[in-house]
Amino acid sequence: AAVLLLVAVAAPFVLYPVFLMKVLCFALFACAFNLLIGFAGLLSFGHAAFFGGAAYIAAHTVKVWGWAPEFGLIAATAVAGLMGLVFGLIAIRRQGIYFAMITLALSQMVFFLALQLPFTHGEDGIQGVPRGTLFGLFDLSQPLTMYYTVLAIFVAGFALIWRTVHSPFGQVLKAIRENEPR
């Protein structure tokens, strides 16, 4: 783990930092997907809805409302959590292909909303989102500062997922995968 962290810290000096940030974002997305399908055995096609919905909320709050980046991230996380609650209330009692199809239908509804709602700007998306300063200290317009911020969020997210998997709750997720009725 220490070697991987050292490689991640040194990586932006060898590779393009914006590319590495995208890799880290999608890696965290994959870790969350692995938590659901790999440990709980639940095939969900709705993950992209949370990812995209949170991205739109973060971009809108920072660009249009002028919020600081940390408050945009908090708002995006809250909206994704609320979406998860709604999705969960609808889909959690289903199993197998029914669960997968309901999550697919819900994610397609979010996709349709993202294309139709005026604040998302349809297929063009929200352009020119300012990076701002994080906590009033870190200038996120600098690529290295932004990269290390994304890396810190990735490490925190990965640690949270790792802790969840190795907790009693994680053992329950594994038990659900092995024998759902029980």
Side-chain angles (χ1 to χ4, degrees), residues 152-170:
I153 291 170
F154 170 80
V155 168
F158 184 81
L160 178 66
I161 290 172
W162 187 87
R163 178 65 187 118
T164 300
V165 167
H166 293 89
S167 70
F169 177 70

Side-chain angles (χ1 to χ4, degrees), residues 1-171:
V3 171
L4 287 175
L5 190 58
L6 285 174
V7 168
V9 167
F13 298 105
V14 178
L15 298 170
Y16 186 52
V18 174
F19 169 74
L20 293 173
M21 287 185 274
K22 289 181 182 182
V23 167
L24 288 173
C25 289
F26 285 115
L28 191 57
F29 177 83
C31 289
F33 190 73
N34 182 45
L35 179 67
L36 198 59
I37 194 169
F39 289 96
L42 297 171
L43 176 59
S44 170
F45 292 114
H47 267 62
F50 306 119
F51 186 74
Y56 274 119
I57 294 301
H60 184 75
T61 57
V62 170
K63 181 179 180 184
V64 177
W65 294 347
W67 288 13
E70 56 272 14
F71 294 122
L73 289 174
I74 291 170
T77 304
V79 168
L82 185 62
M83 287 173 57
L85 178 67
V86 171
F87 277 35
L89 289 173
I90 295 170
I92 198 65
R93 301 259 187 249
R94 309 303 180 269
Q95 303 176 30
I97 192 69
Y98 303 108
F99 178 81
M101 290 296 106
I102 287 174
T103 59
L104 177 63
L106 291 169
S107 68
Q108 286 299 305
M109 287 173 50
V110 171
F111 172 75
F112 177 76
L113 287 172
L115 285 178
Q116 299 300 321
L117 291 174
F119 84 92
T120 65
H121 302 284
E123 292 179 1
D124 294 333
I126 301 175
Q127 302 291 321
V129 178
R131 290 185 179 178
T133 57
L134 186 65
F135 305 119
L137 299 172
F138 305 107
D139 183 14
L140 297 179
S141 64
Q142 301 299 320
L144 282 179
T145 307
M146 184 68 173
Y147 170 77
Y148 288 123
T149 302
V150 172
L151 179 62
I153 291 170
F154 170 80
V155 168
F158 184 81
L160 178 66
I161 290 172
W162 187 87
R163 178 65 187 118
T164 300
V165 167
H166 293 89
S167 70
F169 177 70
Q171 299 304 314

Side-chain angles (χ1 to χ4, degrees), residues 40-43 91-97 99 172-182:
L42 297 171
L43 176 59
I92 198 65
R93 301 259 187 249
R94 309 303 180 269
Q95 303 176 30
I97 192 69
F99 178 81
V172 171
L173 289 177
K174 293 175 191 172
I176 289 171
R177 179 190 65 208
E178 297 302 323
N179 190 345
E180 192 171 340
R182 190 170 222 195

